[in-house]
């Protein structure tokens, strides 16, 4: 009877250790990719999510710049991707980078931003398992006719010249 109890206790302890180890690695990087129909390189209320966009998550060691982790993700209909992360990357610089747009008519890369940095460690004071990267986007070839009104509503137009 005692042998069965100790075997059961060992199995329970092993299961707990396994679940704790899995929880440590249970970080996800989540972000959004949008189509900038105004060509202003930031998100507006008329920006559109892009389905099927490929993104790449890459972590590099801060000291020697070697790649320590890489993973791919694809956006859903809301333009959201969610990439599981394996391991803790406390000593790494991790960035999500756009790879390929899911829309042919919205595939021009921004001139200023094409990646978002994200902290991927359990030792940074963040309790949640989701880590949110800044939104990234592609542009259309021409601005939508609705952009003037949208930018005016946001306070960007008209530009007032000071005397």
């Amino acid at each position: 009877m005692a042998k069965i109890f100790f075997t059961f206790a060992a199995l329970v302890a092993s299961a707990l250790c396994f679940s704790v180890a899995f929880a440590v690695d249970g970080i996800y990087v989540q972000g959004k990719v949008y189509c900038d129909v105004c060509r202003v390189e930031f998100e507006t209320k008329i920006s559109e999510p892009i389905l099927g966009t490929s993104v790449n998550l890459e972590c590099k060691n801060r000291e020697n710049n070697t790649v320590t982790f890489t993973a791919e993700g694809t956006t859903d209909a809301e333009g959201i991707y969610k990439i599981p992360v394996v391991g803790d990357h406390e000593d790494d610089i991790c960035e999500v980078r756009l790879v390929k747009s899911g829309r042919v008519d919205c595939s021009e890369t921004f001139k200023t931003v094409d990646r978002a940095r994200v902290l991927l460690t359990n030792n940074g004071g963040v309790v949640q398992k989701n880590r949110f990267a800044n939104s990234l986007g592609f542009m259309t070839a021409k601005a939508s006719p609705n952009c003037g009104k949208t930018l005016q509503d946001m306070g960007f137009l008209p530009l007032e010249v000071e005397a």
Side-chain angles (χ1 to χ4, degrees), residues 21-38:
F22 178 74
V24 169
D25 288 342
I27 295 175
Y28 285 84
V29 172
Q30 185 173 330
K32 180 179 179 182
V33 179
Y34 63 93
C35 178
D36 175 12
V37 297
C38 291

Side-chain angles (χ1 to χ4, degrees), residues 62-111:
R62 294 175 198 263
E63 301 296 322
N64 59 22
N65 209 34
T66 57
V67 176
T68 59
F69 179 74
T70 157
E72 297 280 330
T74 306
T75 58
D76 62 16
E78 299 298 317
I80 305 295
Y81 60 86
K82 191 171 183 180
I83 303 172
V85 177
V86 176
D88 193 277
H89 299 277
E90 183 174 15
D91 297 324
D92 298 340
I93 295 172
C94 300
E95 295 178 320
V96 176
R97 183 179 52 84
L98 294 170
V99 176
K100 185 176 187 215
S101 177
R103 283 180 51 176
V104 176
D105 67 327
C106 189
S107 58
E108 186 178 330
T109 57
F110 288 1
K111 302 201 182 352

Side-chain angles (χ1 to χ4, degrees), residues 2-22:
K3 186 176 183 180
I4 293 172
F5 175 76
F6 285 116
T7 303
F8 178 74
L11 286 172
V12 169
S14 295
L16 286 173
C17 288
F18 178 75
S19 65
V20 168
F22 178 74

